[in-house]
Amino acid sequence: MIIVMKHGAGEKAVQQVSDVLKEHGLGVHISNGSTATIIGVIGDKAKLSGVNLELMEGVDKCVPIMHSYKLASREICPQGRTVQVGDQVIGGQKLAMMAGPCAVESEEQVFAAARGVRQAGAAFLRGGAYKPRTSPYAFQGMEDEGYRLLRRAADAEGLKVVSEVISENQLDTAAKYCDMFQIGARNMQNFRLLRAVGRSGVPVLLKRGIASTVEEWLDAAEYIMSEGNYNVVLCERGIRTFETSTRNTLDISAVPVIKERSCLPVIVDPSHAAGKSAYILPLSLAAAAAGADGLIIEVHPNPKCALSDAAQQLTPQAYGELFEQVRRVAQAVGRTM
Amino acid sequence: MIIVMKHGAGEKAVQQVSDVLKEHGLGVHISNGSTATIIGVIGDKAKLSGVNLELMEGVDKCVPIMHSYKLASREICPQGRTVQVGDQVIGGQKLAMMAGPCAVESEEQVFAAARGVRQAGAAFLRGGAYKPRTSPYAFQGMEDEGYRLLRRAADAEGLKVVSEVISENQLDTAAKYCDMFQIGARNMQNFRLLRAVGRSGVPVLLKRGIASTVEEWLDAAEYIMSEGNYNVVLCERGIRTFETSTRNTLDISAVPVIKERSCLPVIVDPSHAAGKSAYILPLSLAAAAAGADGLIIEVHPNPKCALSDAAQQLTPQAYGELFEQVRRVAQAVGRTM
Amino acid sequence: MIIVMKHGAGEKAVQQVSDVLKEHGLGVHISNGSTATIIGVIGDKAKLSGVNLELMEGVDKCVPIMHSYKLASREICPQGRTVQVGDQVIGGQKLAMMAGPCAVESEEQVFAAARGVRQAGAAFLRGGAYKPRTSPYAFQGMEDEGYRLLRRAADAEGLKVVSEVISENQLDTAAKYCDMFQIGARNMQNFRLLRAVGRSGVPVLLKRGIASTVEEWLDAAEYIMSEGNYNVVLCERGIRTFETSTRNTLDISAVPVIKERSCLPVIVDPSHAAGKSAYILPLSLAAAAAGADGLIIEVHPNPKCALSDAAQQLTPQAYGELFEQVRRVAQAVGRTM
Amino acid sequence: MIIVMKHGAGEKAVQQVSDVLKEHGLGVHISNGSTATIIGVIGDKAKLSGVNLELMEGVDKCVPIMHSYKLASREICPQGRTVQVGDQVIGGQKLAMMAGPCAVESEEQVFAAARGVRQAGAAFLRGGAYKPRTSPYAFQGMEDEGYRLLRRAADAEGLKVVSEVISENQLDTAAKYCDMFQIGARNMQNFRLLRAVGRSGVPVLLKRGIASTVEEWLDAAEYIMSEGNYNVVLCERGIRTFETSTRNTLDISAVPVIKERSCLPVIVDPSHAAGKSAYILPLSLAAAAAGADGLIIEVHPNPKCALSDAAQQLTPQAYGELFEQVRRVAQAVGRTM
């Protein structure tokens, strides 16, 4: 951490700050600049818990230098982590392809979706059993029955199940049916839930909050990892901006930023970012080209009758065509499908 | 709802949409404009669950006309609601003044804060017992012991307790100590928690999510109200924007917007919006002038030693001075303290 | 400036950076932290023009400590500046009240507006003669004839004229009719125009760009001031965010932030921020309470027939009532009207 | 346009609105919904200039249905336009590759850059002669001498020149040296300048404003096209959001959105979006995969000594490697280089 003193702060103020730092076991380097004095703090700033340097006489601001996550950082694992989900590996050379309906609606629907998804070539079946919805009057999902249907459909096609969990109280049940837990964007900072999935040991797909910075996202991953569960995959799904022509703004740059800062795999969800099926193909190709480790895409056997997010779901046939086009781009950047 | 057909959509496409609407018991009005045909839908669009008009041939877009919340709307209660918390009323002529430390840290600290807050004239003691923090390594609060200290300190000074709840599992305990539950910004769309506080019947202070629109905020209030708990007070606490000179951007316009659209009282939290103690006074005055029903402000007996959010907490003395200045502005706009 | 070296950057890299700094006449302070080495740069970083430290081996990032504006800073004039416009002073104890139609539309309209504005008590007549509009097909203003009408109407009522300029080529003409030039939000970074109004010597009302930070806004003021024209008044008019219930989001915090960082007066434009006449009164009261040095408000003798921005213009009568309510709040915070 | 009446607005109010519409030669369709009456307006809403329906008794809001640009729309030219710049075509099957230094700094630098750019395979030399900079104290470019050097270097290598223009007064000079004018992000709504480049007939590269919606961007293109110059190429270069890990957030979705709504070619500038050279390659690949018609990239013979934007400029060698990787992705999506 660096402490910048106010223009005109006297020697006494600098001395007081310096004294406080030393009392807490920290090293101090003072630079008397032409316009301001700067104090470099050497050591772990956690030692300063309970000391508020910003409020001390003469202090202008404190500039943090290090990020707060450690286990999720690139430094701790420069070669990057892979996450194993059954016999599938996420974060290696092969892209992880996840697909399925926004919400599980019926046995027929989820089996048809699973079939289409598997025929296209994907290895993961996604589907919402518990649906957090903006309005209390919207369809909230089939709940545990949804999990059961997903499991059966996935088993019938040899797929892994990825599904959202929304409460620490449901994890035991969810773990019976899911191979991977999804934490949705709205719950990215539901720290109780993060710790609970951390303790569960089940692989986690952590979606980025709609207005979360990359740093906050990695701090959220750190919550899970700090409980001993390193099987975390990040998922970029669009952020909220002023632009309204898409549902959210896909932050494609987050892919290389994550690769630089974090050891965790990162996949992309073009469906929620775009909010419109016509944009899903170009965004999927962009994600593969940018180095994403996989894609999670909404596929519904009959999008026109979907109970939620209908406008952004693909048919199995359109997904099959997308799959082949993504394959070509993946090969162009040295990845496989 | 209005359905806008694509430029060039033929009669057949219009007919198909019209047929689907009628099959679902809805009325239809067709306007053949010079550039596009527009279909007005008459009746409750909830009847369309499972039908995705946007994906039908020739449909350009669907424009919703009505908001999705009902109980939280102004129409349902044009004179506005008041919320009773013990002998205190929020939403009447008198401003509700809430204050206290960001986090409960010790018996001494919370009793000193309570004394200062009461001496200044406030009626509510706020304080965090459970602290959701961005990093897992930051101080997470004194938890249940924090609630107990808040209760004892509040009782000693004749104050009401407002404190954050973060899990549906803790509500029974929290209800023993708190007069009002706070839902924090990060949990504004934790729908499980919203429903649970709705069932609790305890008055709720619902903070706006950092990137939530006013409409989403009112939908969140609707979750609580739909469980039968109408004692909801909204709290504007700043939104996330590109500007970095303040921690968040206080959306002062949200006050008149809420007054126009909703029947619920709305208070302002200038501490989290500003993130810097020097800005809290002007923002408090602005909130009172704009018609807010109260203020919630961080007050700590010794901000320089606060374990969290030190830079934005006021001393009891500074809060006392703020209280008097707010009183003058409140009087200028016909309110009391 | 502070240079943060990468984790693991060797001594040689630090030495190379240090050598470059010294070669350019700058002092160097090196702090060997536990996780990273930090180099404090002492002296004017302008000496580094043509050197890109961020690209040097081992450098992680450069953190600027000082802002780039000097004349617009608070340090250079701690007591704050006032701006004289004829016999009116902006930035003193008295609020500067500016009002008038969005666009000048006719002699009758502008004279009626001027009369209403003066009767309410305002001292400045605002009105658009050149109107930058998003679409080329929208009304673009009466141009020079608009300036002439403003001047005549203002003279008839004893008011000062504030009007927008959009091209360096029109300043000579505009200076004949205007007492104060307005730079609109879209031109806040039209640096040619900023320099030209700087050279003109005419007082300038500098609106904040719709997505400009406070720092960029002050840099824009610096462009004008660096040409010798210190008569700059800042105008907060709302920023672009994700929220759509208002046209823009009024950043009320910008008022105390500007007061802290800059010596320049700052006024508020609630009309463009709100975009809806019902919100203008509460936002005006908030601005006065927060310490703004004045208000610029759209007033039209017949808003229902305005050629632009109709939804946000007040009638002269509504403005008169607003004026009296603002007066009460201004008095509550020690200002006059 | 659709007019939504307030809940409870009576028949008289509906009648008045209807009368006004008919008086102005517009058709009217009234839908009496269960919660609100909706009025569909049939005909060109330009006829309503001077009428402000939103202020009429009983009107809740007016919802525009059509966009305001026409010449820039997809409808007017469903197959899409190409723009000819000398012997080069932008918007066809071949990607337009533009590269060169942020700023022209010297003869040696621009000739070295031109050579590297041509050797890599690009056809356009970009370079800033006039540099709009946030601070008045930063390097402002070599101005006309910069144009001359660009021309000579481009001619030596057989390249086209793209360079920014910042004032209507300089266009005659600029036209002598440039094959294509660039309008920078800060000037996207400098309507005087847009009209002037429209009259010039010179092909225009129109960068998106940092906080401009796609609709505003197309309206800006319409300004140029409405003067008869249809040779407009759009350039996405990142928008301002809350995320700070990149300089701006590249809105990759803008590529398919533009393709859907507009007939104009669109290229991508990953350099300004990323602000960091390490991210330029993945963003370039993403842009090619998403369907962009070209890339404009900053290349400097010696980035470590660049006078501006050093952190985001590539060496000619790195650009050569990028060129080859982009070629592979372009081929995977059916484009050529």
Side-chain angles (χ1 to χ4, degrees):
Chain A
M1 190 171 58
I2 287 161
I3 300 161
V4 182
M5 302 299 290
K6 284 181 185 154
H7 185 72
E11 266 183 53
K12 200 179 137 209
V14 173
Q15 191 59 49
Q16 285 173 335
V17 172
S18 174
D19 288 349
V20 165
L21 292 171
K22 288 176 184 164
E23 281 165 23
H24 287 79
L26 295 164
V28 174
H29 270 257
I30 298 174
S31 304
N32 290 298
S34 51
T35 47
T37 294
I38 290 160
I39 303 175
V41 182
I42 299 157
D44 183 356
K45 77 173 174 181
K47 293 183 181 169
L48 284 169
S49 166
V51 182
N52 296 292
L53 298 164
E54 295 207 346
L55 296 182
M56 290 189 70
E57 183 77 24
V59 174
D60 183 20
K61 58 182 167 184
C62 297
V63 183
I65 296 302
M66 304 302 296
H67 40 237
S68 46
Y69 49 87
K70 297 183 198 317
L71 301 171
S73 73
R74 190 81 191 176
E75 287 87 346
I76 213 169
C77 183
Q79 76 282 19
R81 289 187 185 287
T82 56
V83 171
Q84 191 89 27
V85 182
D87 59 349
Q88 295 292 318
V89 174
I90 306 176
Q93 207 201 1
K94 190 179 160 197
L95 297 196
M97 296 295 282
M98 307 178 179
C102 175
V104 178
E105 296 166 7
S106 70
E107 179 169 344
E108 189 189 357
Q109 173 242 20
V110 73
F111 273 76
R115 198 173 326 116
V117 159
R118 193 260 308 151
Q119 285 172 344
F124 294 82
L125 177 65
R126 61 141 291 151
Y130 287 84
K131 301 296 307 168
R133 302 297 297 275
T134 303
S135 164
Y137 308 124
F139 174 59
Q140 311 272 322
M142 291 182 73
E143 311 204 335
D144 289 350
E145 176 62 15
Y147 285 146
R148 281 187 287 271
L149 290 173
L150 276 171
R151 181 75 270 161
R152 285 177 45 216
D155 285 346
E157 302 289 344
L159 299 167
K160 304 292 158 222
V161 169
V162 188
S163 193
E164 182 164 359
V165 290
I166 63 172
S167 163
E168 48 187 312
N169 297 339
Q170 65 170 148
L171 298 190
D172 288 345
T173 305
K176 286 187 211 157
Y177 304 107
C178 302
D179 300 299
M180 190 174 205
F181 289 160
Q182 178 185 307
I183 300 291
R186 291 186 184 87
N187 279 316
M188 194 203 83
Q189 291 193 316
N190 181 340
F191 301 123
R192 280 290 178 116
L193 184 56
L194 295 179
R195 286 196 191 278
V197 298
R199 287 188 301 270
S200 78
V202 175
V204 179
L205 184 65
L206 178 64
K207 290 202 158 188
R208 181 181 184 178
I210 201 173
S212 296
T213 63
V214 166
E215 294 290 293
E216 290 166 344
W217 191 14
L218 291 175
D219 276 323
E222 189 82 5
Y223 262 94
I224 301 169
M225 297 176 86
S226 69
E227 297 287 339
N229 186 351
Y230 290 11
N231 299 306
V232 179
V233 176
L234 301 167
C235 179
E236 161 64 31
R237 42 78 72 214
I239 56 173
R240 181 160 275 182
T241 71
F242 62 83
E243 177 58 61
T244 56
S245 62
T246 43
R247 183 166 164 177
N248 297 287
T249 298
L250 181 67
D251 181 10
I252 192 71
S253 314
V255 174
V257 171
I258 288 291
K259 289 288 170 198
E260 184 182 66
R261 296 192 189 176
S262 174
C263 56
L264 299 174
V266 58
I267 70 168
V268 166
D269 172 355
S271 305
H272 283 88
K276 195 168 173 185
S277 53
Y279 304 150
I280 294 175
L281 174 60
L283 295 185
S284 297
L285 299 176
D293 294 306
L295 290 167
I296 183 165
I297 292 177
E298 292 192 350
V299 172
H300 191 287
N302 188 1
K304 291 185 191 174
C305 295
L307 294 182
S308 57
D309 282 356
Q312 71 195 35
Q313 303 200 57
L314 297 183
T315 61
Q317 189 191 340
Y319 180 64
E321 291 161 13
L322 174 148
F323 202 95
E324 290 313 306
Q325 294 205 46
V326 170
R327 189 196 301 277
R328 282 198 288 277
V329 169
Q331 285 169 343
V333 296
R335 303 292 284 265
T336 60
M337 303 271 286
Chain B
M1 190 169 60
I2 288 160
I3 299 161
V4 183
M5 301 299 288
K6 284 182 184 151
H7 185 71
E11 264 184 54
K12 199 181 138 208
V14 173
Q15 191 59 47
Q16 284 172 335
V17 172
S18 174
D19 288 350
V20 166
L21 293 170
K22 286 175 185 163
E23 281 165 24
H24 287 79
L26 295 163
V28 174
H29 270 256
I30 296 172
S31 305
N32 291 299
S34 52
T35 48
T37 295
I38 288 160
I39 304 175
V41 181
I42 298 158
D44 184 354
K45 76 172 172 181
K47 292 182 182 170
L48 284 169
S49 167
V51 182
N52 296 292
L53 298 163
E54 295 207 346
L55 296 183
M56 289 189 70
E57 183 76 27
V59 173
D60 183 20
K61 58 183 168 184
C62 297
V63 183
I65 296 303
M66 304 301 296
H67 40 237
S68 45
Y69 48 88
K70 298 184 197 317
L71 301 171
S73 73
R74 191 82 191 177
E75 287 88 346
I76 213 170
C77 183
Q79 76 282 15
R81 289 187 185 286
T82 57
V83 170
Q84 193 89 27
V85 182
D87 60 348
Q88 295 292 318
V89 174
I90 305 176
Q93 206 199 4
K94 189 180 159 196
L95 298 196
M97 295 295 280
M98 306 178 180
C102 175
V104 177
E105 295 165 9
S106 70
E107 178 169 345
E108 190 188 356
Q109 174 241 22
V110 72
F111 273 77
R115 200 174 323 117
V117 159
R118 193 262 306 151
Q119 284 173 347
F124 294 82
L125 177 65
R126 61 142 289 154
Y130 287 83
K131 300 296 304 171
R133 300 298 294 277
T134 302
S135 164
Y137 308 124
F139 174 59
Q140 309 271 325
M142 291 182 72
E143 311 204 335
D144 289 350
E145 176 62 15
Y147 284 148
R148 281 189 286 269
L149 289 174
L150 276 172
R151 181 74 271 160
R152 285 176 45 215
D155 285 347
E157 302 289 343
L159 300 168
K160 304 290 159 225
V161 169
V162 188
S163 194
E164 183 164 359
V165 289
I166 63 173
S167 165
E168 49 188 310
N169 297 339
Q170 65 170 148
L171 297 189
D172 289 346
T173 304
K176 286 186 208 156
Y177 304 108
C178 302
D179 301 299
M180 189 173 207
F181 290 159
Q182 177 184 308
I183 299 291
R186 290 186 185 87
N187 279 315
M188 193 203 85
Q189 291 193 318
N190 182 338
F191 302 123
R192 280 288 177 115
L193 184 56
L194 296 179
R195 286 198 191 277
V197 298
R199 288 189 301 270
S200 77
V202 175
V204 179
L205 184 65
L206 178 64
K207 289 203 157 186
R208 180 180 186 179
I210 202 172
S212 297
T213 63
V214 166
E215 292 293 291
E216 289 167 343
W217 190 15
L218 292 173
D219 277 322
E222 190 81 5
Y223 262 93
I224 301 169
M225 298 175 84
S226 69
E227 297 287 338
N229 185 352
Y230 290 11
N231 298 307
V232 179
V233 175
L234 301 167
C235 179
E236 160 65 30
R237 42 79 72 214
I239 57 174
R240 181 160 275 181
T241 71
F242 63 83
E243 177 58 61
T244 57
S245 62
T246 43
R247 183 167 167 175
N248 297 287
T249 298
L250 182 67
D251 182 9
I252 192 71
S253 313
V255 173
V257 171
I258 288 291
K259 289 289 169 196
E260 184 181 67
R261 297 191 188 176
S262 175
C263 57
L264 299 174
V266 58
I267 71 168
V268 167
D269 173 355
S271 305
H272 283 88
K276 194 168 173 186
S277 54
Y279 305 149
I280 294 175
L281 174 60
L283 296 185
S284 297
L285 300 176
D293 294 306
L295 289 167
I296 183 164
I297 292 176
E298 292 192 349
V299 173
H300 191 286
N302 188 1
K304 292 184 192 176
C305 296
L307 294 183
S308 58
D309 281 356
Q312 71 195 37
Q313 302 200 57
L314 296 184
T315 61
Q317 189 191 339
Y319 180 65
E321 290 161 15
L322 174 147
F323 201 97
E324 289 314 306
Q325 292 204 48
V326 172
R327 189 196 301 277
R328 284 198 289 277
V329 169
Q331 286 169 344
V333 295
R335 303 292 285 263
T336 60
M337 303 272 285
Chain C
M1 191 170 56
I2 287 160
I3 300 161
V4 183
M5 302 299 289
K6 285 182 185 153
H7 184 72
E11 265 184 54
K12 199 180 137 209
V14 174
Q15 191 59 47
Q16 284 172 335
V17 172
S18 174
D19 288 350
V20 166
L21 293 171
K22 287 176 184 163
E23 280 164 25
H24 288 79
L26 294 163
V28 174
H29 270 256
I30 298 173
S31 305
N32 290 299
S34 52
T35 48
T37 294
I38 290 159
I39 303 174
V41 181
I42 299 158
D44 184 355
K45 74 171 174 183
K47 292 182 181 169
L48 285 169
S49 166
V51 182
N52 295 292
L53 298 164
E54 295 206 346
L55 296 182
M56 289 189 70
E57 182 76 23
V59 173
D60 182 21
K61 57 183 168 183
C62 297
V63 183
I65 296 301
M66 305 301 296
H67 40 239
S68 45
Y69 48 87
K70 298 183 197 320
L71 302 171
S73 73
R74 191 81 191 177
E75 288 87 347
I76 214 170
C77 183
Q79 76 282 16
R81 291 188 183 285
T82 56
V83 170
Q84 192 89 25
V85 182
D87 60 349
Q88 294 293 318
V89 175
I90 305 176
Q93 208 201 2
K94 190 180 163 196
L95 297 196
M97 295 296 281
M98 307 177 179
C102 175
V104 178
E105 295 165 7
S106 69
E107 177 168 348
E108 189 188 357
Q109 173 241 24
V110 72
F111 273 78
R115 199 174 324 114
V117 160
R118 195 262 305 151
Q119 285 172 345
F124 293 82
L125 178 65
R126 62 142 288 153
Y130 287 84
K131 301 295 306 168
R133 300 299 294 277
T134 302
S135 165
Y137 309 122
F139 174 60
Q140 310 271 325
M142 292 181 72
E143 310 203 335
D144 289 350
E145 176 61 15
Y147 284 146
R148 282 188 286 269
L149 289 174
L150 276 171
R151 181 76 271 161
R152 285 176 46 217
D155 285 347
E157 302 290 343
L159 299 168
K160 304 290 159 225
V161 169
V162 188
S163 194
E164 182 164 358
V165 289
I166 61 172
S167 163
E168 49 188 311
N169 297 339
Q170 66 170 146
L171 298 189
D172 288 346
T173 305
K176 287 188 209 155
Y177 303 108
C178 302
D179 299 299
M180 189 173 206
F181 289 159
Q182 178 184 306
I183 300 291
R186 291 186 184 86
N187 279 316
M188 194 203 83
Q189 291 193 318
N190 181 338
F191 301 123
R192 280 288 177 113
L193 184 57
L194 295 180
R195 286 199 191 276
V197 297
R199 287 189 300 270
S200 78
V202 175
V204 179
L205 184 66
L206 178 64
K207 289 203 158 187
R208 181 181 183 178
I210 202 172
S212 296
T213 62
V214 166
E215 294 291 293
E216 290 167 343
W217 191 13
L218 292 174
D219 276 324
E222 189 82 6
Y223 262 94
I224 302 170
M225 297 175 85
S226 69
E227 297 287 339
N229 186 351
Y230 290 11
N231 299 308
V232 178
V233 175
L234 301 167
C235 179
E236 160 64 32
R237 43 77 74 212
I239 57 174
R240 180 160 275 182
T241 71
F242 62 83
E243 176 58 61
T244 56
S245 62
T246 42
R247 183 166 167 176
N248 297 288
T249 298
L250 182 67
D251 182 9
I252 191 72
S253 314
V255 174
V257 171
I258 288 292
K259 288 289 170 196
E260 185 182 65
R261 298 192 188 174
S262 174
C263 57
L264 299 174
V266 58
I267 70 169
V268 167
D269 171 355
S271 305
H272 284 88
K276 194 167 174 185
S277 54
Y279 305 149
I280 293 175
L281 174 61
L283 295 184
S284 297
L285 300 176
D293 294 307
L295 289 166
I296 183 164
I297 292 176
E298 292 192 350
V299 173
H300 191 287
N302 188 2
K304 291 184 193 178
C305 296
L307 294 183
S308 58
D309 281 355
Q312 71 194 35
Q313 303 200 57
L314 297 184
T315 60
Q317 188 189 341
Y319 180 65
E321 291 161 13
L322 174 147
F323 201 97
E324 289 314 307
Q325 293 205 49
V326 171
R327 188 196 301 278
R328 283 198 290 276
V329 169
Q331 286 169 344
V333 295
R335 303 292 285 264
T336 60
M337 304 272 285
Chain D
M1 191 170 56
I2 288 160
I3 299 161
V4 182
M5 301 299 289
K6 284 181 185 153
H7 184 74
E11 267 184 51
K12 199 180 138 210
V14 173
Q15 192 58 50
Q16 285 173 335
V17 172
S18 174
D19 289 350
V20 166
L21 292 170
K22 289 176 183 163
E23 282 165 23
H24 287 79
L26 295 163
V28 174
H29 270 257
I30 297 173
S31 304
N32 291 299
S34 52
T35 49
T37 294
I38 289 159
I39 304 174
V41 181
I42 298 158
D44 184 355
K45 77 174 173 179
K47 292 182 181 170
L48 283 169
S49 167
V51 182
N52 295 291
L53 298 164
E54 294 207 347
L55 296 182
M56 289 189 70
E57 183 78 24
V59 173
D60 183 20
K61 56 183 169 185
C62 297
V63 183
I65 296 300
M66 303 302 295
H67 39 237
S68 45
Y69 48 88
K70 298 187 197 316
L71 301 171
S73 73
R74 191 84 191 176
E75 288 88 346
I76 214 171
C77 183
Q79 76 281 17
R81 288 185 185 287
T82 55
V83 171
Q84 191 89 26
V85 181
D87 60 350
Q88 295 292 318
V89 174
I90 306 176
Q93 208 200 1
K94 188 179 161 198
L95 298 196
M97 296 295 281
M98 306 178 179
C102 175
V104 178
E105 297 166 7
S106 70
E107 178 169 345
E108 189 189 357
Q109 173 241 21
V110 73
F111 273 77
R115 199 173 323 116
V117 159
R118 194 261 306 149
Q119 284 172 346
F124 293 82
L125 177 66
R126 60 142 290 152
Y130 286 83
K131 301 296 305 170
R133 301 298 295 277
T134 303
S135 163
Y137 308 124
F139 173 60
Q140 311 271 323
M142 290 182 73
E143 310 202 335
D144 289 351
E145 176 62 14
Y147 285 147
R148 281 188 287 267
L149 289 175
L150 277 171
R151 182 74 271 160
R152 284 176 47 217
D155 285 347
E157 304 288 342
L159 300 168
K160 303 290 159 225
V161 169
V162 188
S163 194
E164 183 164 359
V165 290
I166 62 173
S167 164
E168 49 188 310
N169 297 339
Q170 65 170 148
L171 297 189
D172 289 346
T173 304
K176 286 187 210 156
Y177 303 107
C178 302
D179 299 300
M180 188 174 208
F181 289 160
Q182 178 184 307
I183 299 291
R186 292 187 184 85
N187 278 317
M188 194 204 83
Q189 291 194 317
N190 181 340
F191 302 123
R192 280 290 177 114
L193 183 57
L194 296 179
R195 286 197 190 278
V197 297
R199 287 189 300 271
S200 78
V202 175
V204 179
L205 183 65
L206 178 65
K207 290 203 156 187
R208 180 180 185 179
I210 202 171
S212 295
T213 63
V214 166
E215 293 291 293
E216 290 166 345
W217 191 13
L218 291 174
D219 276 323
E222 190 83 5
Y223 262 94
I224 300 169
M225 297 175 84
S226 70
E227 297 288 338
N229 184 352
Y230 289 10
N231 300 307
V232 179
V233 175
L234 302 168
C235 179
E236 161 64 31
R237 42 79 71 212
I239 57 174
R240 181 160 274 182
T241 70
F242 62 83
E243 177 58 62
T244 56
S245 61
T246 43
R247 183 166 166 175
N248 297 288
T249 298
L250 181 68
D251 182 10
I252 191 71
S253 313
V255 174
V257 171
I258 288 292
K259 289 287 169 199
E260 185 181 65
R261 298 191 187 175
S262 175
C263 57
L264 298 175
V266 58
I267 71 168
V268 167
D269 172 355
S271 305
H272 283 88
K276 195 168 171 184
S277 53
Y279 304 149
I280 294 174
L281 173 61
L283 296 185
S284 296
L285 299 175
D293 294 306
L295 290 166
I296 183 165
I297 292 178
E298 291 192 350
V299 173
H300 191 287
N302 187 2
K304 291 185 193 177
C305 296
L307 294 182
S308 58
D309 281 355
Q312 72 194 36
Q313 303 200 56
L314 297 184
T315 60
Q317 189 191 340
Y319 181 64
E321 291 160 14
L322 175 146
F323 201 95
E324 290 314 306
Q325 293 205 48
V326 172
R327 188 196 301 276
R328 282 197 290 276
V329 169
Q331 285 168 344
V333 296
R335 304 290 286 265
T336 59
M337 303 270 287

